[in-house]
Amino acid sequence: MPHVTPQGEYFPACAVYGVSGCDSAPARWSAPQPSLHGHARELCSADTDEEVVPAAAHPWEKPLLALCVAVSVGLLAVAVRFVWSVSGSVPWTALALFTAPLTCWSMRGLRYARERAESVRISPTQFPEAYRMVVSLSADMGLARAPEAYVRLGPVSARADAAAHGLRRYLVLPDALFDGGGRLRDPDALAFLIAHQIGHVAAGHTGYWRRVATLGAELLPGLGAALSRAAEYTADNHAHAHLPEGTHAVRLFAGGPNLYTRVNMGEMAARAGTDRGCSLLLYHLLSRRPSNTRRMAALRDRTRRGRVFL
């Protein structure tokens, strides 16, 4: 996506997924929408046959990934060398070598287990509209199998998440994106957030070995965070390539699900080029996500890449 007719007309995601009565940039949460029937189901199934839309990685992602891997390997070599020099024991040295991979595997497994035990799994019978979005977008992005998706009950937040354990990939969506009847409050926004998280999966950001290979970089202030920010821009590129009409979803991060319609995206984006200060620069360098102002600026002006550093 975007979805285009032979005459070149664009349709918002909510229309494609069968949710009627919504605009590409709604001024307010939509009223509860009817379930999908007939032609809407045909549209969703037709989506899976469309050509995969390519999306470019942020230009800083690969260099930062290589640097993080090099730093992690170097720190691991130092740690193993230190353990060997102190203990002279092969078992203790092997334990030092495999502690990080085993710990990472265990933590990812527990995180996945929490969602399976506590969260509601999105399925054809539970949150069916969101389920069809996940399946269709996964096919459009070239995934062989759609990731599992869960709705997490918690504090009001627009933050979604993508993660993995073993061969399983899964998404976690906040309950604030649904109304009291379980229907989509803002279909275009939810579709963009889902596409962003599937973009993480498609770009390999959830891979186990990628995570293990970059753990050491987290010990250096700012390095792991820089890679994380570049990955967020890459995921935004994936989402924009498929759903450019849903970019207003980023206003949710600034205003939340109740006030986001009052957020002026253009005004916030303009501040990315005018706000200055040492403390602000330090905040940008240490944050794991691009700031709302910088992210909005990158989505509004596609001729410029998202700012990772200065």
Side-chain angles (χ1 to χ4, degrees):
M1 289 174 287
H3 300 271
V4 188
T5 67
Q7 289 77 26
E9 299 176 298
Y10 287 78
F11 287 93
C14 51
V16 172
Y17 293 104
V19 182
S20 59
C22 57
D23 301 318
S24 60
R28 55 184 297 180
W29 290 117
S30 60
Q33 302 297 338
S35 300
L36 302 185
H37 300 287
H39 182 57
R41 292 182 184 273
E42 296 175 4
L43 283 172
C44 288
S45 61
D47 287 345
T48 59
D49 296 327
E50 292 185 359
E51 183 180 356
V52 175
V53 178
H58 190 277
W60 271 108
E61 183 178 351
K62 290 183 178 180
L64 283 170
L65 177 60
L67 178 59
C68 288
V69 171
V71 168
S72 298
V73 171
L75 291 177
L76 178 61
V78 171
V80 170
R81 176 65 178 175
F82 175 77
V83 172
W84 174 257
S85 64
V86 171
S87 66
S89 169
V90 173
W92 281 107
T93 303
L95 180 62
L97 181 63
F98 291 106
T99 293
L102 290 176
T103 301
C104 184
W105 178 270
S106 300
M107 295 303 294
R108 286 162 65 96
L110 288 173
R111 184 181 180 188
Y112 180 45
R114 180 188 66 181
E115 301 303 337
R116 295 173 65 191
E118 305 293 347
S119 301
V120 179
R121 183 168 176 176
I122 294 175
S123 70
T125 56
Q126 294 186 126
F127 307 100
E129 297 164 339
Y131 175 80
R132 281 188 280 274
M133 285 183 179
V134 172
V135 171
S136 183
L137 283 167
S138 298
D140 290 347
M141 292 189 180
L143 299 185
R145 181 175 64 181
E148 299 172 7
Y150 297 88
V151 175
R152 177 190 295 160
L153 180 65
V156 177
S157 171
R159 296 291 183 189
D161 195 13
H165 179 60
L167 299 178
R168 301 279 188 174
R169 303 292 185 268
Y170 63 96
L171 315 178
V172 181
L173 304 177
D175 65 310
L177 298 178
F178 300 87
D179 65 19
R183 296 183 177 88
L184 314 183
R185 286 185 168 183
D186 186 335
D188 278 343
L190 180 61
F192 186 87
L193 295 178
I194 290 175
H196 173 94
Q197 300 306 328
I198 295 177
H200 280 302
V201 176
H205 299 161
T206 61
Y208 169 72
W209 289 112
R210 174 185 169 115
R211 181 57 180 160
V212 170
T214 57
L215 275 176
E218 302 294 342
L219 300 177
L220 297 184
L223 181 55
L227 176 60
S228 179
R229 292 194 300 274
E232 289 296 321
Y233 284 126
T234 295
D236 271 349
N237 290 345
H238 280 270
H240 187 276
H242 291 262
L243 289 159
E245 68 274 15
T247 55
H248 68 277
V250 299
R251 297 188 298 171
L252 287 162
F253 304 139
N258 296 319
L259 300 178
Y260 88 108
T261 57
R262 308 299 299 174
V263 175
N264 187 320
M265 187 171 171
E267 184 175 334
M268 284 199 67
R271 284 167 44 203
T274 58
D275 288 0
R276 296 285 187 272
C278 294
S279 58
L280 184 61
L281 176 59
L282 181 61
Y283 173 81
H284 286 310
L285 293 176
L286 296 179
S287 175
R288 297 190 60 82
R289 295 177 183 271
S291 67
N292 290 329
T293 54
R294 288 188 173 186
R295 191 175 180 188
M296 290 180 184
L299 286 171
R300 283 183 64 84
D301 185 357
R302 302 303 295 168
T303 63
R304 298 182 179 181
R305 62 191 183 190
R307 293 165 59 185
V308 174
F309 297 107
L310 302 178

